[in-house]
Amino acid sequence: MNAPEMFELQMSRHIRAPRERVCEAFLSASEMRQWMCPRGMSVAEASADPRTGGRWRVLMQARDGSHFAVGGEYREVTRPERIVFTWQWEAGPMPGVQTVVEVDFSALDGGTLVQMRHGGFPAAAARDPHAQGWNATLNKLTERLDPRGSAATLTLLGDARSTYTRTARMGLAEKGVACTLQSCGPHSPEVLAVSPFGRIPVFRDGDFGLFETSAILRYVDESFDGPSLLPGTIADRARCEQWVSATNAYLYDTMVRRYVLQYIFPRGDDGKPDAGAIASALKEMPAQLAALDRACERSDFLAGAAISMADLFVAPILAYVERMPEGMGLLAAAPHLMRAQARVRERTSFTTTQPPTA
Ligand SMILES: N[C@@H](CCC(=O)N[C@@H](CS)C(=O)NCC(=O)O)C(=O)O
């Protein structure tokens, strides 16, 4: 009888740290506690006896308090070149299935190339969730060891002048999460590699790519500690979603696409702003600003008592509107909104993401 087919994963990472340090991160319980779980989880307990025949165990904890325990035995420990260990979940969909992880560390370009094989899965369906889990876990390892921190794995591709790019950058700043900004225009090859729609920004966490600013910020919000970008109550969370959705469906179209952009990139006759587009936007803007104004009547924030994604979506748009010829006049009719905007504009997330002036 043939042996049953086994499935394996192969991954590699270049980490800007010496290989002794990278190898140690796999073998020391106190190090494992810092990174050995996917994004959005933490390691509640870790133990390791790193010698052939010694055992290791990690207890991962999700945000909802649920636990996932995994452990195994070291088969080879050759510091700092290679380690081999077995991997077995204590509960879940693969009880009793023992898989094997082999990790090779080689010095490369002043850092360490980590080459990993995780093999012995009985089926592709058992292997594939581990690919996602390891990607997120290795990102955490990279961030721990690379002097750039999370900016080593997180990249926002966009243009500092774009309101949506600024929204994402403000969200990252509010969370205190370092991220590399890669300057890319809409529909550039780098952006199209992540989003079929070509709009900016798009986001990468290692190999994991995302488009749509609200999806990016939700991912960041759940993946990292720091103040939540969503309000605490059901009603306020729904209100926050309402303003994010309204921005995507109407506010950006009216205030940016048909108004601000007409002045900044004039495309009308004789290279002048398209007066028709501006006039049609100006008809809609008072009602939109009045709705935002009412939402701020009793609070400095659009949804709840603290800054949320709602404010992050709206503030970059209003900052542009204000600079347009009719902008100050329109905003003067929305005093509550202007009071609330003044509070947002004091924040570091706003002051450090000012778009370059043309
Ligand atoms: N709903 C998208 C909208 C993104 C968007 O429209 N971005 C603008 C720049 S601020 C863009 O890429 N425009 C180029 C185009 O419309 O082709 C999001 O939330 O990310």
Side-chain angles (χ1 to χ4, degrees):
M1 216 166 79
N2 290 334
E5 191 186 356
M6 288 296 174
F7 296 81
E8 74 167 30
L9 283 175
Q10 292 195 18
M11 286 150 290
S12 68
R13 268 310 151 96
H14 184 256
I15 299 182
R16 285 200 207 173
R19 76 178 168 155
E20 290 73 14
R21 173 100 174 80
V22 182
C23 181
E24 206 47 37
F26 277 82
L27 296 175
S28 135
S30 62
E31 280 293 319
M32 288 154 71
R33 218 167 275 137
Q34 306 302 319
W35 68 272
M36 212 165 166
C37 59
R39 284 241 192 267
M41 294 183 118
S42 57
V43 175
E45 289 169 26
S47 60
D49 178 14
R51 55 198 163 114
T52 305
R55 296 200 62 81
W56 68 276
R57 182 174 184 269
V58 163
L59 182 67
M60 302 178 193
Q61 184 171 323
R63 278 184 190 234
D64 64 4
S66 51
H67 287 99
F68 305 89
V70 63
E73 185 183 294
Y74 292 101
R75 288 197 174 158
E76 181 184 339
V77 179
T78 312
R79 286 184 166 101
E81 285 124 49
R82 177 175 163 81
I83 54 180
V84 181
F85 52 92
T86 62
W87 175 284
Q88 189 168 348
W89 292 102
E90 290 177 12
M94 285 184 19
V97 176
Q98 183 175 281
T99 53
V100 178
V101 180
E102 294 169 58
V103 197
D104 290 288
F105 307 93
S106 35
L108 182 73
D109 291 341
T112 304
L113 180 67
V114 180
Q115 288 171 296
M116 238 174 112
R117 277 171 49 173
H118 190 166
F121 294 102
R127 175 198 59 192
D128 294 345
H130 286 80
Q132 214 177 328
W134 271 120
N135 178 52
T137 303
L138 291 174
N139 288 349
K140 287 180 88 167
L141 172 67
T142 307
E143 285 163 22
R144 175 155 180 75
L145 300 180
D146 189 304
R148 294 170 299 170
S150 58
T153 53
L154 305 185
T155 310
L156 188 73
L157 296 92
D159 184 321
R161 294 168 302 176
S162 122
T163 61
Y164 280 106
T165 303
R166 188 176 192 189
T167 295
R169 293 177 72 205
M170 285 180 70
L172 286 153
E174 289 290 337
K175 289 294 282 187
V177 174
C179 178
T180 298
L181 175 67
Q182 185 177 330
S183 196
C184 286
H187 311 285
S188 57
E190 297 88 339
V191 169
L192 285 167
V194 178
S195 166
F197 308 106
R199 301 270 184 119
I200 52 172
V202 299
F203 176 79
R204 279 188 182 283
D205 180 8
D207 295 340
F208 177 64
L210 270 179
F211 53 88
E212 288 299 306
T213 306
S214 61
I216 294 167
L217 286 185
R218 274 170 183 268
Y219 177 78
V220 170
D221 201 29
E222 286 190 39
S223 298
F224 292 89
D225 293 335
S228 177
L229 301 179
L230 294 176
T233 70
I234 297 173
D236 288 338
R237 271 198 301 282
R239 244 178 237 129
C240 175
E241 180 60 40
Q242 163 193 284
W243 287 116
V244 169
S245 175
T247 303
N248 284 326
Y250 339 109
L251 304 183
Y252 178 86
D253 182 63
T254 306
M255 296 197 207
V256 179
R257 204 176 61 78
R258 289 191 284 129
Y259 180 59
V260 171
L261 290 179
Q262 301 303 324
Y263 282 116
I264 297 185
F265 301 113
R267 293 219 182 97
D269 297 339
D270 308 328
K272 294 209 175 99
D274 180 338
I278 291 176
S280 84
L282 284 172
K283 261 195 215 141
E284 292 166 20
M285 280 166 64
Q288 294 181 350
L289 292 170
L292 287 162
D293 193 54
R294 277 195 300 279
C296 298
E297 233 162 41
R298 274 183 228 96
S299 168
D300 283 342
F301 303 102
L302 283 166
I307 194 157
S308 73
M309 273 169 52
D311 307 290
L312 303 177
F313 270 70
V314 169
I317 295 179
L318 296 182
Y320 269 124
V321 167
E322 188 183 86
R323 287 169 35 200
M324 299 301 118
E326 301 83 357
M328 282 308 275
L330 287 162
L331 287 164
H336 305 297
L337 180 60
M338 287 320 284
R339 172 195 18 90
Q341 286 303 299
R343 291 288 306 278
V344 175
R345 291 173 188 189
E346 287 165 359
R347 303 179 80 89
T348 313
S349 63
F350 187 85
T351 56
T352 56
T353 57
Q354 292 283 4
T357 39

